[in-house]
Amino acid sequence: MASSSGNDDDLTIPRAAINKMIKETLPNVRVANDARELVVNCCTEFIHLISSEANEICNKSEKKTISPEHVIQALESLGFGSYINEVKEVLQECKTVALKRRKANSRLENLGIPEEELLRQQQELFAQVSEAMLVLMRVE
Amino acid sequence: PGPARLARLPLARVKALVKADPDVTLASQEAVFVLARATELFVETIAKDAYVYAQQGKRKTLQRKDLDNAIEAIDEFAFLE
């Protein structure tokens, strides 16, 4: 179901994702279609609610970008504090992945320069050895 | 954590929903991630809460009115009324 109108108000979470979540939460339960539809719309409202509040919290801070901490504070102030522990786990994973990526990138960068330098030094050494051998051969 | 990963909401869509608010300027990727996870928890919670009403009505099918009841009964869901 592509939204071609470009109207932001038609944006929702895809039905399939909602269906999957409902199925995982209530495995052996049949769910009426209009109930599913309502859940989809509730999700949209929830996202607007939390991001609005997070935005206000962000405006009061000196930051220009809504941070995960702003979202967490919004959850707390709107009565969804019980979500915070799980949400923080996800945030920790985020940071761990980001950290691993930064380490991997910096390791490559660190290898690059010394390796070039090592190659250069190796070439020099070979040149010196060749020269030394020539001298020795002349002597013999 | 395993099953929860599979049910993960499409981040691009969550981000689009956040940006649809004209007052919102920028949200970090991590903020969107956190919000997506919170939304998953919201779905789990409201589904379970609504199901209680289906059980009270001795039904195995979750109906819209069960959600309406949950929304009315639970303070945090007042924004949905």
Side-chain angles (χ1 to χ4, degrees):
Chain A
M1 222 168 81
S3 74
S4 50
S5 64
N7 185 0
D8 283 343
D9 292 335
D10 293 337
L11 276 180
T12 59
I13 299 295
R15 178 73 161 249
I18 301 294
N19 285 345
K20 204 169 188 184
M21 281 190 282
I22 294 177
K23 176 98 188 190
E24 285 178 13
T25 304
L26 302 171
N28 299 313
V29 176
R30 258 188 238 133
V31 179
N33 267 335
D34 58 353
R36 295 178 191 276
E37 188 64 31
L38 181 55
V39 174
V40 167
N41 292 330
C42 287
C43 276
T44 303
E45 292 308 312
F46 179 80
I47 290 171
H48 284 317
L49 178 79
I50 304 298
S51 54
S52 258
E53 180 73 9
N55 191 46
E56 276 185 35
I57 292 169
C58 176
N59 288 339
K60 287 186 195 151
S61 79
E62 282 152 30
K63 313 229 174 116
K64 288 186 192 160
T65 306
I66 296 177
S67 73
E69 285 71 32
H70 297 147
V71 176
I72 288 171
Q73 283 174 50
L75 287 170
E76 180 72 61
S77 83
L78 289 165
F80 298 101
S82 60
Y83 297 178
I84 289 180
N85 281 340
E86 287 203 50
V87 141
K88 278 186 175 172
E89 279 178 29
V90 147
L91 186 55
Q92 197 46 54
E93 271 182 51
C94 259
K95 294 192 195 279
T96 305
V97 166
L99 190 63
K100 279 188 189 163
R101 204 180 296 130
R102 278 202 297 278
K103 275 189 186 167
N105 286 343
S106 74
R107 234 179 263 131
L108 282 171
E109 284 164 15
N110 285 339
L111 281 174
I113 299 165
E115 191 156 280
E116 285 172 33
E117 176 64 20
L118 281 170
L119 275 169
R120 191 192 65 77
Q121 289 174 5
Q122 192 176 52
Q123 302 291 59
E124 267 191 35
L125 277 169
F126 285 155
Q128 286 170 17
V129 166
S130 303
E131 270 223 40
M133 280 183 67
L134 280 172
V135 167
L136 278 170
M137 277 157 61
R138 270 192 227 113
V139 165
E140 280 167 18
Chain B
R5 289 287 139 263
L6 292 173
R8 191 164 62 191
L9 296 175
L11 289 176
R13 189 64 63 88
V14 176
K15 180 141 197 169
L17 278 161
V18 170
K19 285 174 110 165
D21 183 338
D23 295 329
V24 171
T25 43
L26 278 172
S28 77
Q29 188 168 339
E30 287 181 344
V32 173
F33 213 92
V34 161
L35 181 52
R37 184 74 186 108
T39 309
E40 288 174 31
L41 293 168
F42 168 75
V43 171
E44 283 176 33
T45 307
I46 200 169
K48 282 187 210 164
D49 290 341
Y51 188 54
V52 169
Y53 290 96
Q55 287 173 312
Q56 279 177 13
K58 298 200 169 68
R59 281 179 281 106
K60 278 267 168 80
T61 303
L62 190 69
Q63 290 174 2
R64 192 194 156 113
K65 62 182 175 184
D66 299 321
L67 286 160
D68 290 331
N69 282 333
I71 288 169
E72 203 176 338
I74 295 166
D75 289 339
E76 295 83 62
F77 297 155
F79 72 96
L80 294 164
E81 279 166 9

